[in-house]
Amino acid sequence: MERILDVKNLKVSYHTYAGEVQSVRGVDFYLNKGETLAVVGESGCGKSVTAKSIMRLIQTPGEIKQDSEILFDGKDLAKLSEKELREIRGSEISMIFQDPMTSLNPTMTIGKQIAESLIIHRGMSKHEALAEAAKMLKLVNIPNAEKRVKQYPHEFSGGMRQRAMIAIALACNPKILIADEPTTALDVTIQAQIMDLIGDLQNKLGTAVILITHDLGVVADSAHRIQVMYAGKIIERGTTDEIFYNPQHPYTWALLQSVPRLDTGHKDSLYSIKGTPPDLLKPPVGCPFASRCEYAMPICKEAMPEITKMTENHEVSCWLKHPLAPKVEKSLAGGAK
Ligand code: SF4
């Protein structure tokens, strides 16, 4: 499979009055052409910050640290100038957000908003771009597209606005679409339709998708691979089957227990993970999940578990799975001896 994105040692911090909040702490991952990678975790785990970093949308007081690399198409996006980035954003890499109302311009027709990037990035005339905008609205299953292109965002329903956002994002046929909680603000039926739509368009256009979500249930049918983030780090990753049928990290187990299921037959209330994530002003030296983990051992608070490779794609960062755990525990217990 051809890799189109390689993120290496991504670190992002926010400089606050209280000190440096280390939101993303040395994250490595890749994306293959045409695949869907889901990035899953609770709010504040660093998943949205990771997504925004790829587009270099981190604003002051945030900062992508110097040794981070975001390799795309032979370029390191972390090092490009703002002018060079503008040529890539919306053309090669696009993003859709949770709430289309905050991303759409309320004073511009939907058609003009789709046409804008076609005029800038594809050099189309206004007339050509508006005709293409109507085609894009048809592609995202908006009925009466010729009439709808002349309407404003407030004339669209929530689901239609999200479809329009997808049309804007895909107008220039980008290589990567980043979807940050694209269905969270929508009701369940519309959520399923939007996820199906993203999948259909991905098949038609060959776009690779990074899907950011707090809800593992949303990605079960759509992602090829899943990476689970916690406290600014990737703590487990694998194929969707590996994460759903053979999860290895206690946090992934807890996330899976909080997904509603139709097949169990009992009416248990949903599991919620007790406690709160660590303060990233002073990240713990050991496993960041230790204070909430039912399986925590003394070693867990003392040292961060290295990645353990379970299969070619499946990796986990947990002392329960680490072959050196007994040795390290012994040396910690024995001090310098
Ligand atoms: Fe729990 Fe320890 Fe594994 Fe962290 S390293 S998840 S605390 S068992």
Side-chain angles (χ1 to χ4, degrees), residues 299-310:
I299 188 182
C300 301
K301 291 197 172 145
E302 302 285 341
M304 178 70 200
E306 296 280 312
I307 293 279
T308 305
K309 218 169 166 50
M310 311 302 294

Side-chain angles (χ1 to χ4, degrees), residues 249-250 287 289-290 293 295-296 300 305 318-320:
H249 195 286
C287 169
F289 193 54
C293 180
Y295 308 88
C300 301
C318 172
W319 282 119
L320 285 177

